[in-house]
Each structure stands twice: as C-alpha cells, then as structure tokens.
Amino acid sequence: MPESFVDGLESQTQSQVIDLLNARLADSVDLTLAVKQAHWNMRGQGFIGVHEMLDDVADRLREHSDTMAERIAVMGGHAKGTTQEAAKSTTLPPYPVELTDLQEHIDELVKRFKHHGKQLREAIAAAGDAGDDDVEDLFTELSREVDKDAWFIGANKNR
C-alpha cells in the first residue's frame, strides 16, 4: 500500500475508511453515468431545462468522485474508480437504457439519488464509528448535495 499522509489514525481505521470511500465512489461513478444516460436520451415537455440541469448535476457528481478518490489516495489507498470497478461494486440498480420519456427518466434518477443519499448517510455513521471525523464530514457534505440534486431533478416531475 502507498504511503499514507494522514497522521493520528490507525492503519486499520484508514483501511476501513478506504473501503467505505471506494464503495461510495462506485455508486457515484455509476450515478454519474446514469445522469448522462438520461441527459442523452430524454425527450418531452421541459426537455431543455432538465437536459441542461443534468450537465451541472453530472459535474457535481464528478467532483464528489474526485473528492472521495483523492481522500483515498491521501490515506494511502487505491481509488477504484473505473467503470469496471463501479459495475462490480455499485449498489444502484441498473439504469434502463431504452427510456426516452423525460418523466420516466426523472423518476429513475430521483430513485437512484435517494438511494445514493441513504448510502452516504450510512457511510457517515460508519466513518464516525471508525473514528474518522474528516471522512464523516466529507460524507455529510456530499449527502447534502445529493439530496439537493434529488430535489432539483424531482421538481421537474409533472404531477
């Protein structure tokens, strides 16, 4: 394992937290690709607003992935952010690739954002239990942004 640049955390704690970060990294990579899948294929009333918003959402998710991956590297771990690793490790359900209806994409994305937010909140608790306040805080920040994006996307639902 590469050198850790974190002092004050036991190696076992760092190893646990690296695993937590990689698990959420897999979901983040998968969710980013689901957002782009929707962005490329949706059709319907309100298209342009949602289409443009999803570019911003995908950018935020890529920043989340980068934040988690860099923390893994700082702790001496290996970030597992390839599509192959994400496909093996994601907890998200497969995204339906044949959808075109904007409203169906909104439903599918909101479902996945809620799931990702829940997984991040569980990771907050696990990082706290492991004794890593920094990663606990990192997951807290990401969960707030994921919840907000779920709301932004879901606000486009025609009721």
Side-chain angles (χ1 to χ4, degrees):
M1 189 153 96
E3 176 184 3
S4 172
F5 293 91
V6 177
D7 196 11
L9 286 179
E10 294 180 18
S11 62
Q12 182 179 353
T13 298
Q14 289 185 51
S15 180
Q16 283 180 296
V17 172
I18 288 167
D19 289 345
L20 276 173
L21 286 161
N22 268 315
R24 300 295 57 85
L25 177 60
D27 285 352
S28 185
V29 168
D30 188 17
L31 187 55
T32 302
L33 294 172
V35 167
K36 292 307 290 185
Q37 179 70 24
H39 169 85
W40 296 322
N41 291 291
M42 67 173 60
R43 309 285 183 272
Q45 186 175 4
F47 162 79
I48 195 63
V50 176
H51 179 81
E52 291 175 353
M53 176 189 61
L54 290 181
D55 271 336
D56 293 336
V57 169
D59 288 344
R60 269 189 297 283
L61 286 168
R62 280 190 288 273
E63 288 174 17
H64 293 181
S65 294
D66 196 51
T67 298
M68 289 184 278
E70 288 175 351
R71 186 63 186 174
I72 291 166
V74 165
M75 298 180 91
H78 295 282
K80 298 177 181 175
T82 66
T83 56
Q84 294 82 6
E85 287 294 327
K88 280 193 317 192
S89 302
T90 187
T91 65
L92 296 171
Y95 198 84
V97 295
E98 301 298 324
L99 289 183
T100 57
D101 182 75
L102 183 136
Q103 296 302 309
E104 289 178 12
H105 278 293
I106 288 171
D107 289 342
E108 292 293 333
L109 289 173
V110 167
K111 183 182 346 177
R112 283 162 181 77
F113 271 81
K114 286 181 173 182
H115 176 84
H116 188 44
K118 180 180 182 229
Q119 294 297 109
L120 286 167
R121 279 182 286 287
E122 290 174 7
I124 292 166
D129 291 345
D132 190 332
D133 296 340
D134 293 331
V135 173
E136 182 179 21
D137 183 59
L138 181 152
F139 284 137
T140 300
E141 178 185 346
L142 299 184
S143 74
R144 280 194 298 265
E145 290 185 6
V146 165
D147 290 347
K148 188 166 103 174
D149 281 334
W151 171 54
F152 280 5
I153 295 166
N156 289 281
K157 180 75 176 160
N158 290 337
R159 308 244 185 266

